[in-house]
């Protein structure tokens, strides 16, 4: 059931209904007319509309129907934030809005999986098209989408300006009046993403192409093309910019309108056309231009009553634009083809006939192009995946229209509104009755006017006005509009809703002319002038004009004018019957969907903001059937809510239901209303809802709730305040006491410290005990963080006098500890090596007590053993030949060779015999180089060494090697061999401090003082 669906959100959760309509009632009228106490009073209804309109509250509900009053000004209620506010929110929770209706329809479609439709009605200029655009925009913005669907959404939105350019026009009532009916399906997939769209168009007001009433214009596109098209385009189309030059544009005498920017709208349309799949090859604009040229095609009368075209050049251009043969067109415009007894005859048209043939062609070309345009848009919106889709239909169709002179078009439009009203009554009543049935509540008959009688008058087969019109069009012999009127008088003259001048009594006769018939519509009386009825219903285009158009090389026109149409001798359906049939189909479509309604009201005829013309509004309230709607909706009960929602809201009012009711919901509601003293006639309990008859009952309950909340809040506030004060003062006192205590302790501490400092050299006594303890404590804490880390580190913090002895104790202890730790870390292998190398270096073989001999040793040790003959050993630093990295080595001299040893490993052996020279610098740097033969592959090059006893080493080596003459002293630099053929250089520079480092150009730079 619809109302159930309305109150349950997507997850099926019952929302807490905030009843904004109730709480806001005292401020600006009622948000829902069902809460009007005097729901039968039209004055109360209008007053409520007026009060809200004055506050820019343009939307009000009648149950689930949205009534909208055109504000004629931009209101800031359509932003994205507003859309978010209404998203997923229940109808009654928030102020009435077109977005609330859009959202509820969307959610109903998703949760109930049933197609929906939104019927927007109202008179011209009441805001129907704006409402439909807002609904579309709401879906485009809030529905889930993806890239592909975004393109579709864009097309849906872009199709609007195009349709408006071709199908809307300025009328006296609306500067942007839709001159066609539009029903648009938006298709959604199972995720709720819009996936496609389809438009059905109804009865374009084609007569506007050739004629406009005073103060009105032709369709927007003509003016847009002339104003916005660039010069080249106009030249190509052979057009001039001034609309005054075109007869079809000046009938209404207002080609320019200040509120319309044709130039800007042209740009919008040109931008939208490619989005919805239009190509330039289709030459749509040629057709628009050709209509203007047709309008300027003039005829002259020949002597024999025949006609000829006086605007020859115009016609040539026209033929070019239409893509047809010029002479064939000329002939078709001035002659007609007849078939008599199987023979074809051509007869000339008289002046009037030629003019009407021309106009018929213009209307046909424009009307068919419009239909093609809608088809084209439909192709671009076509649903790509059709599985499991749901639909929301939007009906934006012309509202009830009463002009000074009402013709065939108004007759069709008002007939359409009769049908919609019937559907509305039927569906609203049906849904109400269903609701009562579901809830098990007896239906109380509602008095309302059933307009079926008027629909029958118009559409009944054989007896209805449309049938009579068709008959008159088809009847052989002399027929004319007046004969049609007479036929009407004969056939439906006795109908209570039909009057003519002849049938009327004296008073009415004065307001119905002889050429008119009056229909008493549900919304009011309308006089229709029969002039033109037959022609318009016939909608005839001469056969030879059709033949010419079939041969057009314009893609659109050849699509619109089919050859079959010429060959087929069967007469096509008359315009009114076509319209009737399309309306029947529309009703079927709408009946198959769940409807929602937007009823638009126009507040004044001057299109002015802030003006509320009561007479005009009352008229619309009447013909929109809003009072009837309200009566049906109220049908005995003003208010209904599901038990959960009702109990949730009002449970604080009854001790048994507060805070929670654990029994059956219906019992809870029953207990609650009994406690509130509801009388039996004031309410009824259905199966899942409570129905309350009078708004007064509900308002009293609501007031009681507000009072309760007010009291509750007040009591809570008082108690809360007291508690807060007690806690605050207690807390502040405690904090102050703590602060004072801390201050006292700090002062005492400082006092003791100062006293201690004064007595620091005294024996340990109460005066200095705190200070000395503190100093000791500080020393130990500092010592703990600064203990030496290695045995070689001799640093130790200075102890205070009272701790000198203890400090020394600790130092020794710590040292011993470190030594023990170090020894524990020494591995047995390492111990052996240390022992061995110390022997190598320091033990003379002659004095070797342990008798290390070559015989006892094997392998590498045997090789090492040869070192036992070492005569002299010294620590040196060896510099790598390339990177000059310093490496600690032992240089050992034996009788025949020298070796460089790294711990126990011999790194280099230098035979004295091979030694080519010994170089030293002239400064006190300690550097010396042992030059080796380059051809000796075993040698790695010269040895670059440093020793603090360089003189001693060099002397010893030179003597032992017997090469004293090989010693060179080089003052500036020493060259040495790095490897075969490669050289290194040591540069010596005088400086205050010894420094050995890699210098420029890869040299080893030695900075040192002079030797002496
Ligand atoms: N909700 C609205 N807010 C602002 N202006 C509006 C609104 N509805 C209608 N209008 C104004 O009224 C004019 C006529 O509205 P429109 O929707 O074209 O009427 P209808 O389609 O019923 O003939 C619009 O051009 C616009 O200026
Ligand atoms: Mg409109």
């Amino acid at each position: 059931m619809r109302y159930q669906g309305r109150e349950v959100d997507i997850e099926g959760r019952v929302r807490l209904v905030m009843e904004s309509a109730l709480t806001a009632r005292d401020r600006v009228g009622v948000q829902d007319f069902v809460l009007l106490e005097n729901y039968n009073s039209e004055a109360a209804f209008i007053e409520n509309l007026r009060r809200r309109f004055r506050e820019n509250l343009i939307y009000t509900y009648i149950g689930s129907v949205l009534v909208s009053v055109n504000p004629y000004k931009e209101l800031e209620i359509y932003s994205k934030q507003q859309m978010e506010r209404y998203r997923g929110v229940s109808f009654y929770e928030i102020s009435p809005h077109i977005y609330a209706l859009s959202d509820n329809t969307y959610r109903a479609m998703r949760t109930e999986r049933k197609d929906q439709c939104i019927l927007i009605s109202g008179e011209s200029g009441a805001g129907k098209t704006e409402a439909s655009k807002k609904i579309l925009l709401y879906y485009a913005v809030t529905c889930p989408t993806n890239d592909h669907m975004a393109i579709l959404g864009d097309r849906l939105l872009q199709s609007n300006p195009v349709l408006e350019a071709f199908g809307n026009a300025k009328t006296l009532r609306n500067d942007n009046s839709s001159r066609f009916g539009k029903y648009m399906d938006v298709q959604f997939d199972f995720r709720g993403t819009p996936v496609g769209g389809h438009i059905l168009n109804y009865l374009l007001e084609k007569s506007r192409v050739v004629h406009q009433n005073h103060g009105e214009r032709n369709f927007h596109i003509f003016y847009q093309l002339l104003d916005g098209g660039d010069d080249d385009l106009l030249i190509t189309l052979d057009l001039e910019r001034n609309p005054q030059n075109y007869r079809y544009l000046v009938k209404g005498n207002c080609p320019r309108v200040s509120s319309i920017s044709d130039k800007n709208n042209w740009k919008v349309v040109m931008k939208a056309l490619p989005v919805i799949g239009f190509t330039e090859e289709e030459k749509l604009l040629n057709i628009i231009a050709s209509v203007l040229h047709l309008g300027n095609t003039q005829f002259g009368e020949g002597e024999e009553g025949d006609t000829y075209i006086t605007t020859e050049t115009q016609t040539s251009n026209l033929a070019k634009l239409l893509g047809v043969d010029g002479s064939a067109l000329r002939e078709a415009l001035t002659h007609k083809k007849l078939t008599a007894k199987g023979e074809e005859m051509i007869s000339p048209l008289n002046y009037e006939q030629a003019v009407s043939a021309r106009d018929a062609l213009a209307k046909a070309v424009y009307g068919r192009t419009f239909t093609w345009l809608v088809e084209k848009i439909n192709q671009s919106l076509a649903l790509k995946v059709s599985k499991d889709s749901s639909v929301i239909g939007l009906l934006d169709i012309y509202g009830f229209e009463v002009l000074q002179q009402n013709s065939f078009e108004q007759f069709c439009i008002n007939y359409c509104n009769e049908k919609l009203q019937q559907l509305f009554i039927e569906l609203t009543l049906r849904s109400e009755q269903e609701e009562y049935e579901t809830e098990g509540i007896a239906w109380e008959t509602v008095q309302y006017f059933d307009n079926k009688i008027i629909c029958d008058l118009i559409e009944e087969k054989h007896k209805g006005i449309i049938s009579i019109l068709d008959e008159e069009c088809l009847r052989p012999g002399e027929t004319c509009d007046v004969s049609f009127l007479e036929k009407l008088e004969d056939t439906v003259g006795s109908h209570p809703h039909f009057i003519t001048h002849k049938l009327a009594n004296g008073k009415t006769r004065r307001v119905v002319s002889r050429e008119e018939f009056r229909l008493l519509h549900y919304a009011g009386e309308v006089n229709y002038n029969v002039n033109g009825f037959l022609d318009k219903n016939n909608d005839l285009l001469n056969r030879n004009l059709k033949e010419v158009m079939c041969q057009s090389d314009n893609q659109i026109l050849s699509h619109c004018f089919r050859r079959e149409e010429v060959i087929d001798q069967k007469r096509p359906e008359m315009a009114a019957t076509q319209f009737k049939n399309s309306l029947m189909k529309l009703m079927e479509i709408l009946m198959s969907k769940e409807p929602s309604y937007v009823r638009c009201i126009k507040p004044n005829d001057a299109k002015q903001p802030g003006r509320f013309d009561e007479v005009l509004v009352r008229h619309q309230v009447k013909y929109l059937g809003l009072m009837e709607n309200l009566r049906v909706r109220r049908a005995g009960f003003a208010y209904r809510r599901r038990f959960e929602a009702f109990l949730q809201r009002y449970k604080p009012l009854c001790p048994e239901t507060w805070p929670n009711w654990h029994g059956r919901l219906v019992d809870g509601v029953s207990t609650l209303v009994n406690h509130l003293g509801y009388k039996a006639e004031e309410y009824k309990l259905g199966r899942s809802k409570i129905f309350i008859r009078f708004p007064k009952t509900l308002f009293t309950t609501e007031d009681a709730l507000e009072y309760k909340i007010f009291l509750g809040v007040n009591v809570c506030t008082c108690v809360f305040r007291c508690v807060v004060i007690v806690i605050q003062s207690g807390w502040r006192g405690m904090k102050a006491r703590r602060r004072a205590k801390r201050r006292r302790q700090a002062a005492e501490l400082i006092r003791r410290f100062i006293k201690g400092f004064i007595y620091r050299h005294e024996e340990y006594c109460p005066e200095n005990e705190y200070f000395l303890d503190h100093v000791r404590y500080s020393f130990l804490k500092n010592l703990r963080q600064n203990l030496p880390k290695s045995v070689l580190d001799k640093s130790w913090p200075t102890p205070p006098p009272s701790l000198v002895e203890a400090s020394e104790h600790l130092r020794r202890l710590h040292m011993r500890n470190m030594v023990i730790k170090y020894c524990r870390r020494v591995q047995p292998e390492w111990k052996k090596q240390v022992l061995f190398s110390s022997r190598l270096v320091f033990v003379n073989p002659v004095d070797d007590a342990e008798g290390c001999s070559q015989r006892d040793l094997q392998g590498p040790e045997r090789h090492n053993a040869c070192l036992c003959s070492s005569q002299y050993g010294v620590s040196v630093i060896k510099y790598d030949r390339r990177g000059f990295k310093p490496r600690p080595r032992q240089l050992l001299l034996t009788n025949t060779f020298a070796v460089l040893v790294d711990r126990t490993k011999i790194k280099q052996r230098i035979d004295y015999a091979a030694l080519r020279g010994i170089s030293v610098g002239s400064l006190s740097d300690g550097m010396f180089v042992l030059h080796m033969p380059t051809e000796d592959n075993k040698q790695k090059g010269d040895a670059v060494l440093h020793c603090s006893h360089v003189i001693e080493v060099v002397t010893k080596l030179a003597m032992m090697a017997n090469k004293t003459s090989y010693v060179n002293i080089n003052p500036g630099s020493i060259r040495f061999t790095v490897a075969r053929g490669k050289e290194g250089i040591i540069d010596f520079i005088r400086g205050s401090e010894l420094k050995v480092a890699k210098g420029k150009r890869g040299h080893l730079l030695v900075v040192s003082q002079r030797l002496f």
Side-chain angles (χ1 to χ4, degrees):
M1 192 58 229
R2 181 155 200 80
Y3 293 103
Q4 285 170 7
R6 286 282 141 119
E7 288 178 6
V8 177
D9 66 12
I10 285 171
E11 295 86 11
R13 234 170 342 111
V14 175
R15 284 185 165 270
L16 211 188
V17 178
M18 285 307 294
E19 306 286 7
S20 63
L22 289 172
T23 45
R25 71 183 193 277
D26 296 327
R27 277 184 274 131
V28 198
V30 287
Q31 293 190 2
D32 191 334
F33 283 108
V34 295
L35 297 174
L36 266 187
E37 191 59 41
N38 192 356
Y39 68 92
N40 277 315
S41 156
E42 198 179 68
F45 190 101
I46 289 167
E47 184 51 29
N48 192 47
L49 267 189
R50 188 220 297 276
R51 282 176 69 186
R52 295 178 61 73
F53 178 75
R54 214 187 292 141
E55 302 291 326
N56 288 331
L57 299 168
I58 61 166
Y59 297 118
T60 313
Y61 294 131
I62 306 176
S64 57
V65 173
L66 180 72
V67 180
S68 156
V69 186
N70 186 347
Y72 279 122
K73 65 178 174 191
E74 293 307 319
L75 299 178
E76 286 174 1
I77 55 170
Y78 301 110
S79 61
K80 218 171 158 194
Q81 287 93 316
Q82 286 287 334
M83 290 185 187
E84 286 305 325
R85 262 189 80 207
Y86 283 88
R87 217 164 142 185
V89 176
S90 187
F91 219 54
Y92 304 103
E93 282 181 57
I94 196 158
S95 50
H97 202 292
I98 188 89
Y99 292 160
L101 182 113
S102 314
D103 193 75
N104 273 265
T105 307
Y106 177 73
R107 278 188 296 129
M109 174 198 74
R110 297 209 60 201
T111 50
E112 293 165 27
R113 298 222 131 269
K114 192 155 189 233
D115 289 351
Q116 309 285 317
C117 63
I118 302 174
L119 309 185
I120 311 167
S121 48
E123 80 168 48
S124 182
K128 299 180 295 293
T129 306
E130 289 299 318
S132 80
K133 284 196 262 189
K134 292 195 159 77
I135 296 169
L136 266 187
L137 194 65
Y138 181 80
Y139 293 144
V141 173
T142 60
C143 291
T145 188
N146 55 36
D147 284 352
H148 171 70
M149 298 317 156
I151 295 172
L152 183 103
D154 200 23
R155 286 182 187 160
L156 268 175
L157 295 177
Q158 298 280 355
S159 64
N160 241 332
V162 177
L163 277 177
E164 287 194 2
F166 286 82
N168 287 23
K170 183 219 178 300
T171 65
L172 284 175
R173 278 137 206 277
N174 183 356
D175 290 350
N176 183 33
S177 177
S178 322
R179 306 316 297 167
F180 67 107
K182 183 169 107 180
Y183 172 78
M184 179 184 231
D185 265 340
V186 185
Q187 289 140 333
F188 296 83
D189 68 4
F190 65 98
R191 284 175 295 250
T193 306
V195 288
H198 190 265
I199 297 169
L200 290 174
N201 59 312
Y202 297 95
L203 194 78
L204 178 75
E205 189 196 36
K206 281 185 293 184
S207 58
R208 184 168 294 274
V209 176
V210 298
H211 178 80
Q212 308 91 43
N213 290 331
H214 188 78
E216 301 201 346
R217 295 207 309 179
N218 209 322
F219 294 99
H220 293 321
I221 189 68
F222 295 111
Y223 308 93
Q224 290 177 3
L225 170 62
L226 296 186
D227 205 13
D230 58 35
D231 292 341
D232 289 347
L233 177 66
L234 294 193
I235 291 169
T236 319
L237 300 176
D238 197 31
L239 291 175
E240 290 162 42
R241 207 169 280 287
N242 187 358
Q244 301 281 6
N245 294 340
Y246 297 97
R247 288 169 183 255
Y248 278 168
L249 303 185
V250 294
K251 301 269 169 73
N253 208 14
C254 65
R256 298 224 191 272
V257 185
S258 62
S259 67
I260 302 174
S261 169
D262 291 314
K263 201 177 258 172
N264 286 347
N265 293 344
W266 167 260
K267 281 186 203 148
V268 175
V269 171
M270 286 300 114
K271 235 169 114 189
L273 281 176
V275 178
I276 45 181
F278 284 82
T279 59
E280 279 194 22
E281 293 80 64
E282 287 158 344
K283 300 210 168 82
L284 178 63
L285 298 175
N286 283 23
I287 301 176
I288 304 306
S290 72
V291 173
L292 294 180
H293 287 296
L294 255 180
N296 282 5
T297 303
Q298 297 300 305
F299 302 97
E301 268 184 293
E303 283 177 6
E304 288 162 25
D306 57 334
T307 18
Y308 57 91
I309 293 171
T310 56
T311 46
E312 261 308 314
T313 1
Q314 191 95 37
T315 320
S316 312
N317 291 332
L318 173 64
K320 215 163 59 196
L321 289 168
L322 288 173
V324 299
D325 177 55
S327 52
L329 178 68
R330 251 171 243 120
E331 182 168 302
L333 281 170
T334 49
H335 294 79
K336 69 175 169 194
K337 243 183 209 171
L338 299 171
T339 318
K341 294 177 189 159
E343 263 188 54
E344 259 190 10
M345 287 161 58
I346 292 188
S347 85
L349 297 174
N350 63 28
Y351 180 82
E352 281 78 25
Q353 285 171 329
V355 168
S356 74
R358 177 200 66 190
D359 288 352
L361 181 63
K363 287 192 277 183
V365 165
Y366 192 84
R368 292 181 190 208
T369 304
F370 184 75
T371 309
W372 172 88
L373 191 109
V374 175
E375 268 175 40
K376 184 86 186 172
I377 290 174
N378 281 338
Q379 281 165 17
S380 91
L381 299 179
L383 181 65
K384 301 291 180 298
V385 263
S386 60
K387 248 182 19 198
D388 208 14
S389 75
S390 311
V391 160
I392 295 181
L394 276 178
L395 183 70
D396 166 18
I397 208 155
Y398 12 61
F400 199 80
E401 211 164 77
V402 192
L403 308 179
Q404 282 282 315
Q405 285 291 321
N406 302 295
S407 181
F408 179 77
E409 287 82 7
Q410 280 68 46
F411 171 73
C412 290
I413 287 172
N414 293 342
Y415 162 51
C416 168
N417 278 277
E418 288 285 357
K419 293 293 285 179
L420 286 173
Q421 173 68 5
Q422 206 189 6
L423 182 89
F424 176 68
I425 297 256
E426 212 170 281
L427 292 182
T428 323
L429 270 177
R430 194 176 72 191
S431 93
E432 281 297 292
Q433 269 174 333
E434 273 174 11
E435 164 114 311
Y436 278 59
E437 221 167 85
T438 322
E439 291 294 325
I441 290 176
W443 171 250
E444 296 170 24
T445 322
V446 188
Q447 286 303 318
Y448 68 94
F449 170 66
D450 187 354
N451 68 333
K452 187 170 179 304
I453 185 169
I454 308 173
C455 293
D456 288 347
L457 167 67
I458 298 171
E459 68 186 9
E460 218 178 356
K461 266 193 183 157
H462 310 301
K463 288 187 276 177
I465 298 175
I466 292 177
S467 285
I468 298 164
L469 179 62
D470 280 4
E471 252 175 55
E472 202 58 15
C473 287
L474 293 169
R475 185 168 63 82
E478 277 299 300
T479 57
C480 64
D481 296 322
V482 177
S483 70
F484 160 61
L485 185 61
E486 285 163 1
K487 188 80 183 281
L488 281 181
E489 283 168 340
D490 291 348
T491 326
V492 294
S494 57
H495 197 285
H497 290 263
F498 179 87
I499 298 173
T500 60
H501 182 85
K502 202 166 101 186
L503 299 172
N505 57 27
K507 208 171 154 200
T508 321
R509 186 168 275 181
R510 262 183 269 136
V511 287
V512 184
S513 79
R514 284 174 203 283
E515 292 172 333
E516 286 177 341
F517 66 91
R518 171 179 275 199
L519 290 186
L520 310 183
H521 285 287
Y522 80 93
E525 298 150 346
V526 185
N527 292 358
Y528 298 98
N529 191 317
V530 288
N531 277 335
F533 259 64
L534 258 61
D535 272 355
K536 284 176 182 169
N537 192 38
N538 256 322
D539 194 21
L540 271 187
L541 184 65
N542 288 342
R543 217 179 94 208
N544 45 350
L545 273 174
K546 275 189 201 161
E547 276 172 7
V548 173
M549 292 311 296
C550 285
Q551 278 153 15
S552 167
D553 60 17
N554 180 301
Q555 279 181 34
I556 302 171
L557 291 175
S558 65
H559 177 90
C560 292
F561 293 87
R562 296 260 170 213
R563 183 148 287 283
E564 303 87 72
E565 195 187 334
V566 186
I567 300 164
D568 192 0
Q569 295 291 321
K570 218 177 96 201
R571 209 184 185 293
E573 273 177 342
M574 302 281 173
T577 305
Q578 268 181 37
F579 186 62
K580 182 175 108 179
N581 293 341
S582 62
L583 270 190
M584 300 279 186
K585 280 199 197 113
L586 176 66
M587 293 305 133
E588 269 172 38
I589 294 173
L590 299 178
M591 292 283 263
S592 69
K593 297 178 166 54
E594 280 291 322
S596 305
Y597 302 93
V598 182
R599 315 290 257 163
C600 299
I601 290 179
K602 187 174 167 175
N604 62 69
D605 264 335
K607 305 165 196 167
Q608 265 181 16
R611 224 175 101 181
F612 191 89
D613 181 341
E614 199 176 312
V615 176
L616 190 75
V617 173
R618 181 174 299 121
H619 182 67
Q620 294 170 78
V621 167
K622 189 171 166 226
Y623 81 61
L624 283 171
L626 296 186
M627 294 309 294
E628 238 134 43
N629 182 200
L630 178 57
R631 257 203 310 277
V632 169
R633 184 63 181 73
R634 278 284 293 261
F637 296 96
Y639 172 93
R640 68 198 72 169
R641 283 293 177 275
R642 294 179 70 79
F643 293 145
E644 299 94 305
F646 188 80
L647 204 54
Q648 181 68 27
R649 183 164 181 79
Y650 297 114
K651 65 184 180 181
L653 295 177
C654 169
E656 281 104 309
T657 53
W658 176 254
N660 286 308
W661 175 259
H662 295 291
R664 290 192 317 152
L665 288 172
V666 61
D667 297 336
V669 173
S670 181
T671 313
L672 178 60
V673 295
N674 282 337
H675 180 80
L676 292 172
Y678 278 22
K679 295 196 181 77
E681 68 272 16
E682 280 183 298
Y683 76 101
K684 274 216 163 68
L685 296 180
R687 294 203 173 90
S688 66
K689 288 181 182 176
I690 176 170
F691 289 69
I692 297 175
R693 198 178 292 279
F694 312 114
K696 205 171 66 197
T697 314
L698 189 71
F699 291 155
T700 315
T701 312
E702 187 63 23
D703 289 343
L705 180 71
E706 267 181 29
Y707 186 62
K708 183 100 186 170
I709 292 169
F710 171 76
L711 274 187
V713 168
N714 272 358
V715 169
C716 281
T717 315
C718 286
V719 172
F720 184 70
R721 276 215 186 117
C722 292
V723 172
V724 165
I725 289 167
V726 169
I727 292 176
Q728 268 183 349
S729 57
W731 176 249
R732 280 199 202 112
M734 193 178 79
K735 268 172 77 176
R737 279 194 295 280
R738 269 193 200 161
R739 245 196 329 266
K741 192 176 166 193
R742 270 209 303 275
R743 245 187 246 132
R744 268 201 311 279
Q745 283 174 344
E748 174 65 15
L749 197 70
I750 295 166
R751 212 175 295 125
R752 280 167 73 191
F753 200 84
I754 294 169
K755 210 170 194 178
F757 181 76
I758 296 165
Y759 288 91
R760 70 187 180 282
H761 298 301
E762 303 290 314
E763 279 295 301
Y764 193 72
C765 62
E767 279 74 25
N768 63 10
E769 67 180 354
Y770 174 76
F771 180 81
L772 293 183
D773 284 351
H774 177 78
V775 167
R776 267 191 224 123
Y777 170 77
S778 303
F779 168 72
L780 291 173
K781 205 171 151 200
N782 176 38
L783 180 63
R784 185 172 159 251
Q785 279 157 7
N786 293 298
L787 279 171
K789 302 252 172 348
S790 90
V791 280
L792 299 176
D793 185 356
K794 299 286 182 271
S795 65
W796 191 260
T798 314
S802 59
L803 276 184
V804 172
E805 210 177 320
S807 163
E808 184 51 27
H809 234 55
L810 285 171
R811 198 185 64 76
R812 267 189 269 122
L813 256 175
H814 181 64
M815 188 58 78
R816 196 176 300 162
N817 234 347
M818 281 198 300
V819 170
I820 291 169
K821 265 193 206 159
Y822 180 81
C823 292
R824 278 196 193 132
R825 280 211 323 270
V826 175
Q827 307 289 317
E829 238 172 73
W830 190 22
K831 262 188 208 165
K832 207 165 129 195
Q833 280 175 3
V834 171
L835 200 65
F836 184 71
S837 56
S838 61
R839 271 195 213 135
L840 278 177
V841 177
F842 301 111
V843 178
N844 189 320
V846 184
D847 311 327
D848 186 359
E850 289 182 62
C852 167
S853 79
Q854 292 179 23
R855 270 172 292 123
D856 302 333
L857 301 169
Q858 301 290 319
E861 285 182 5
R862 182 191 164 118
H863 170 72
N864 288 340
C866 69
L867 299 180
C868 290
S869 56
S870 160
Q871 299 294 319
Y872 176 80
V874 69
S875 293
V876 293
I877 289 173
K878 178 184 174 285
Y879 288 94
D880 280 357
R881 292 170 191 85
R882 283 193 188 83
F884 301 120
K885 266 203 178 141
R887 314 264 185 207
R889 296 279 187 268
Q890 297 296 327
L891 177 66
L892 305 180
L893 307 182
T894 69
N895 289 333
T896 51
F897 58 86
V899 282
L900 283 166
V901 180
D902 174 16
R903 290 187 204 156
T904 59
K905 241 182 165 180
I906 294 176
K907 288 289 192 181
Q908 193 175 359
R909 174 177 163 136
I910 300 160
D911 287 321
Y912 295 150
L915 187 67
R916 284 203 301 118
I918 305 167
S919 295
V920 290
S922 61
L923 305 176
S924 62
D925 47 73
M927 297 297 294
F928 65 106
V929 178
L930 303 181
H931 298 279
M932 302 309 296
T934 45
E935 56 280 4
D936 186 351
N937 281 343
K938 280 189 215 142
Q939 288 298 338
K940 299 166 185 167
D942 298 348
V944 180
L945 304 168
H946 173 272
C947 180
S948 37
H949 319 296
V950 68
I951 298 176
E952 185 184 307
V953 177
V954 170
T955 314
K956 204 97 180 154
L957 177 64
M959 285 173 65
M960 285 184 77
N962 201 17
K963 290 201 168 171
T964 44
S965 59
Y966 280 58
V967 177
N968 305 307
I969 300 171
N970 302 285
S973 62
I974 301 175
R975 288 176 178 272
F976 62 95
T977 317
V978 176
R980 191 188 287 266
K982 281 198 179 162
E983 236 185 17
I985 295 175
I986 306 173
D987 292 327
F988 295 96
I989 299 175
R990 277 218 308 258
S992 56
E993 252 180 82
L994 178 66
K995 202 169 123 194
V996 182
K998 198 170 173 180
K1000 285 180 199 156
R1001 290 173 286 147
H1003 295 190
L1004 179 65
L1005 182 68
V1006 179
V1007 183
S1008 179
Q1009 290 175 341
R1010 285 168 60 122
L1011 198 52
F1012 300 108

